[in-house]
Amino acid sequence: MTWREWAIRNLRYHWQDLMAYFLSCTWAVTLVHLFMQVIDHPELASDVHRGFFFVALFLLVFFMAGFIWLSHQYFYRKREEEWELLSWLGMESAHWKRLLLWESGLLAGISILGGLGGGFLLAPLFYLAVSTVLFLPDPLGMHFSWRGILWTVAFFALLYFIVTWRIWNQLGNEQLRSTKLPRLQLSEKWGIVFSLLSLGGVWWGTDTATWTAWIPRFPFIVFLGLFGGFGLLRYGGAWLMSWARNQPLILKIPSLWLLITWLRPRWSQDARLLILISGMMQLQ
Amino acid sequence: MLEAKYLTKVYGGEIGAPRHRAVNGFHLTIQPKEWVGVMGPSGSGKTTLLRMLGTLDLPTAGEIWFKGRELTQLSSKERADFRRRHLGFIFQDDRLLDALTLRENTWLPLILAGEDPTKMQKRSDTLAALFGLDKGWHRFPRQASGGEKQRAAAIRALIHRPDLVLADEPTGNLDSKTSRCLLSGLEMIRQESETAILMVTHDPVAASWCDRVLFIRDGSLMTEVRRGDDRKLFLRQILTVISAMGGDSLDLERMGNS
């Protein structure tokens, strides 16, 4: 059995766990590919329109990178017993690298190819939707940009490589099992205060910005929006749970939806909140 | 081949945590081809000793010499390399990878060693015949019985011809027939190679396959019993020591099955 065959067997065995993640990654590649194609479309003459798509693409890439990073780490953490056994059998850094590169390479390859394929299939529909939303006098014609394809492939290949390198580094140093995801430790009260201040900053930043001032402020607005939205749900939720503990049942009802997420490991809760906020922000 | 001197392992001792001396100044020597058993009550430090000898845990104090190398001084990478080349592990719970078939699981040490796949298959099939694992060889662990999985784990521990096999209660989850099959397979391999075996066990019958049995209590060596020509006499000696220790290392139900 070769390393490639071993990696294929691992992916096949963990397929049910990986399916949702794989489909999300493929969809992410599709979206990024479509946005890249529109940005590089010769018939999209307006810089304002192009700027709008750049901002949307930035948001998409930012949250997708976070999603892939966290999901990848989660899947490798779930295989803790497997890593422990292999470490006992004498698996060392170079071996981890081989196995991980094969596994991630296969996943990345299938996701990227599937995503590009999805992009090609959905492009006519997407061009039509873009033309309608932007009130373009003539709908965008079919056009495929090699530059768009290359950027999409390069971005996702680099992202997968960095994530794999990080896991390899942790497995080589036997850290994957011992380290927790970085977590900002704040009390609930201060967490809520900082979250509200951040969201206030987002509101002020977007409300007072002119179109030209908007672009340089954009990364700060994204950061504050992420921290504020995520923090408010997380710290507010924790506060609501602790407050509702001593209340009559009728007052507990608003916090019951949070209880469902608390029955699962904390990481999944964080990931769900992150995806929820990214979705909300993209809707905005 | 292997010599442990003043081996000590202390757990705890951080601020507020109680200190527990799991292994206390233990001495041990293992020669090539030797089969050494370790018995003792639960919590006596058997598994800790095995983990230290297997370089999975570092001792708090003491030295472990293996063919002229001091193992406690090795780096993490060197320890992994040492385990890969020189050691085989058999655990009570087989610890096989669920993604691979029993046969493929046995190839793991050879894959890590970069062996030729044809050689892997040949060697594993030879050992499978020796351990009576021809049937069910291509099954996945979830489809195999406990005995089949444990025999596959034993083949995995032996396939790369290690110098020392460390077995932590290998017959703990097996019935008497499967236990006998596993132990006789280990014995045959030992006879035809230079492989030594260190086996932690609660089972006196399994211990009677050894050349000598070390009895430990509270992390220290209590006594040692050596096997002569008569295995039944050896078994009686083991039982006598166990009863002298209070009998609390015995799982009477399991012994009844044996």
Side-chain angles (χ1 to χ4, degrees):
Chain A
M1 188 168 61
T2 59
W3 291 89
R4 182 175 54 87
E5 289 167 338
W6 187 1
I8 290 171
R9 277 163 176 74
N10 281 342
L11 292 181
R12 201 186 293 163
Y13 178 73
H14 295 286
W15 191 238
Q16 282 187 326
D17 282 342
L18 287 169
M19 184 55 100
Y21 166 65
F22 166 72
L23 290 176
S24 306
C25 291
T26 308
W27 179 237
V29 179
T30 300
L31 285 179
V32 170
H33 181 210
L34 287 170
F35 274 74
M36 288 280 192
Q37 293 296 342
V38 169
I39 287 168
D40 213 29
H41 202 292
E43 293 167 26
L44 194 74
S46 163
D47 281 344
V48 174
H49 289 162
R50 217 178 285 277
F52 169 77
F53 275 98
F54 260 121
V55 169
L57 182 66
F58 177 85
L59 273 175
L60 189 67
V61 160
F62 184 81
F63 288 110
M64 277 306 149
F67 169 76
I68 289 176
W69 180 280
L70 290 173
S71 307
H72 222 77
Q73 293 246 339
Y74 171 71
F75 287 123
Y76 281 95
R77 260 167 226 276
K78 265 191 90 176
R79 291 164 64 184
E80 182 186 320
E81 279 188 16
E82 195 175 324
W83 307 132
E84 189 177 55
L85 170 70
L86 292 171
S87 163
W88 289 355
L89 294 181
M91 192 134 161
E92 60 180 50
S93 190
H95 297 123
W96 295 122
K97 188 162 60 180
R98 271 184 144 179
L99 188 63
L100 292 176
L101 278 177
W102 270 115
E103 284 190 12
S104 296
L106 287 167
L107 256 184
I110 300 170
S111 299
I112 291 171
L113 281 178
L116 289 178
F120 285 122
L121 283 176
L122 292 176
L125 206 62
F126 191 67
Y127 286 159
L128 198 65
V130 167
S131 308
T132 311
V133 169
L134 299 180
F135 299 107
L136 297 179
D138 299 313
L140 294 173
M142 281 305 290
H143 172 262
F144 284 110
S145 145
W146 279 108
R147 204 160 42 173
I149 296 170
L150 282 175
W151 273 108
T152 308
V153 172
F155 167 71
F156 280 97
L158 183 70
L159 180 62
Y160 270 104
F161 179 77
I162 293 172
V163 170
T164 307
W165 175 81
R166 174 78 183 135
I167 290 167
W168 165 59
N169 207 18
Q170 288 177 320
L171 280 172
N173 295 318
E174 297 172 6
Q175 283 176 352
L176 195 69
R177 295 184 297 276
S178 56
T179 51
K180 300 274 182 260
L181 288 172
R183 201 178 281 276
L184 192 61
Q185 295 295 337
L186 284 175
S187 69
E188 287 159 14
K189 192 173 68 181
W190 283 109
I192 293 170
V193 169
F194 279 120
S195 305
L196 287 173
L197 283 174
S198 302
L199 289 178
V202 172
W203 180 78
W204 177 83
T206 46
D207 196 49
T208 59
T210 58
W211 176 246
T212 46
W214 209 81
I215 300 275
R217 283 186 191 183
F218 181 69
F220 299 102
I221 289 170
V222 169
F223 175 75
L224 289 175
L226 178 69
F227 178 80
F230 180 64
L232 195 64
L233 275 169
R234 179 168 172 71
Y235 294 109
W239 176 80
L240 194 63
M241 289 285 286
S242 60
W243 172 80
R245 203 168 292 146
N246 302 318
Q247 301 300 321
L249 183 65
I250 189 73
L251 290 176
K252 282 184 178 165
I253 289 171
S255 68
L256 284 181
W257 69 275
L258 280 169
L259 191 66
I260 296 164
T261 61
W262 280 66
L263 292 175
R264 308 261 308 178
R266 292 288 287 274
W267 186 92
S268 328
Q269 180 196 357
D270 293 350
R272 273 197 295 277
L273 292 180
L274 195 65
I275 292 162
L276 183 68
I277 293 158
S278 69
M280 283 165 62
M281 287 189 72
Q282 284 185 53
L283 278 175
Q284 283 173 354
Chain B
M1 180 180 69
L2 183 135
E3 189 178 9
K5 296 175 185 172
Y6 308 104
L7 213 52
T8 301
K9 181 72 184 179
V10 180
Y11 289 112
E14 299 88 14
I15 300 163
R19 284 166 71 89
H20 170 62
R21 198 172 275 265
V23 175
N24 190 11
F26 203 89
H27 293 266
L28 171 72
T29 307
I30 301 174
Q31 301 300 334
K33 278 181 103 94
E34 197 178 18
W35 190 340
V36 181
V38 179
M39 296 189 83
S42 297
S44 59
K46 304 183 297 292
T47 301
T48 305
L49 175 69
L50 197 88
R51 287 181 63 89
M52 284 192 291
L53 296 174
T55 70
L56 301 173
D57 265 349
L58 283 174
T60 312
E63 298 171 356
I64 305 168
W65 290 88
F66 185 89
K67 292 188 172 176
R69 290 169 84 192
E70 220 286 73
L71 300 184
T72 62
Q73 301 299 319
L74 301 180
S75 67
S76 171
K77 185 180 182 303
E78 288 168 331
R79 287 203 301 274
D81 185 62
F82 167 76
R83 287 197 295 272
R84 195 173 64 246
R85 288 171 194 274
H86 300 288
L87 298 185
F89 289 95
I90 308 175
F91 308 98
Q92 183 176 4
D93 49 341
D94 45 79
R95 284 192 172 251
L96 300 171
L97 297 184
D98 292 325
L100 307 179
T101 62
L102 297 185
R103 188 175 186 235
E104 289 161 348
N105 262 286
T106 64
W107 297 342
L108 288 175
L110 298 182
I111 295 172
L112 299 183
E115 278 279 356
D116 176 38
T118 325
K119 278 187 190 169
M120 285 182 207
Q121 292 169 18
K122 205 173 165 188
R123 171 89 177 135
S124 68
D125 290 347
T126 310
L127 286 172
L130 188 75
F131 278 88
L133 195 59
D134 308 50
K135 286 180 195 168
W137 189 218
H138 296 277
R139 282 189 211 151
F140 286 93
R142 62 183 177 279
Q143 301 162 330
S145 70
E148 286 170 336
K149 287 192 277 189
Q150 195 62 308
R151 277 178 282 172
I155 294 170
R156 183 184 63 195
L158 294 162
I159 197 164
H160 55 306
R161 298 183 175 88
D163 294 305
L164 176 64
V165 170
L166 297 169
D168 190 1
E169 301 200 41
T171 59
N173 291 332
L174 305 181
D175 58 61
S176 58
K177 190 182 164 197
T178 319
S179 292
R180 199 161 44 246
C181 179
L182 181 82
L183 294 167
S184 63
L186 288 174
E187 175 64 18
M188 272 189 271
I189 291 292
R190 187 173 75 107
Q191 293 299 335
E192 71 168 38
S193 66
E194 290 292 298
T195 302
I197 303 168
L198 181 76
M199 179 174 74
V200 165
T201 184
H202 274 116
D203 180 359
V205 179
S208 69
W209 286 76
C210 301
D211 295 324
R212 59 190 170 108
V213 178
L214 311 174
F215 290 87
I216 65 173
R217 170 162 250 173
D218 301 327
S220 304
L221 180 67
M222 204 184 96
T223 187
E224 179 182 327
V225 180
R226 285 181 180 270
R227 177 180 168 173
D229 296 329
D230 188 349
R231 197 179 136 208
K232 281 185 182 168
L233 177 65
F234 185 46
L235 178 58
R236 271 205 295 277
Q237 287 174 322
I238 292 169
L239 290 170
T240 307
V241 176
I242 289 170
S243 54
M245 288 173 87
D248 49 357
S249 74
L250 267 182
D251 182 340
L252 291 172
E253 199 175 313
R254 192 182 299 157
M255 206 189 141
N257 291 333
S258 305

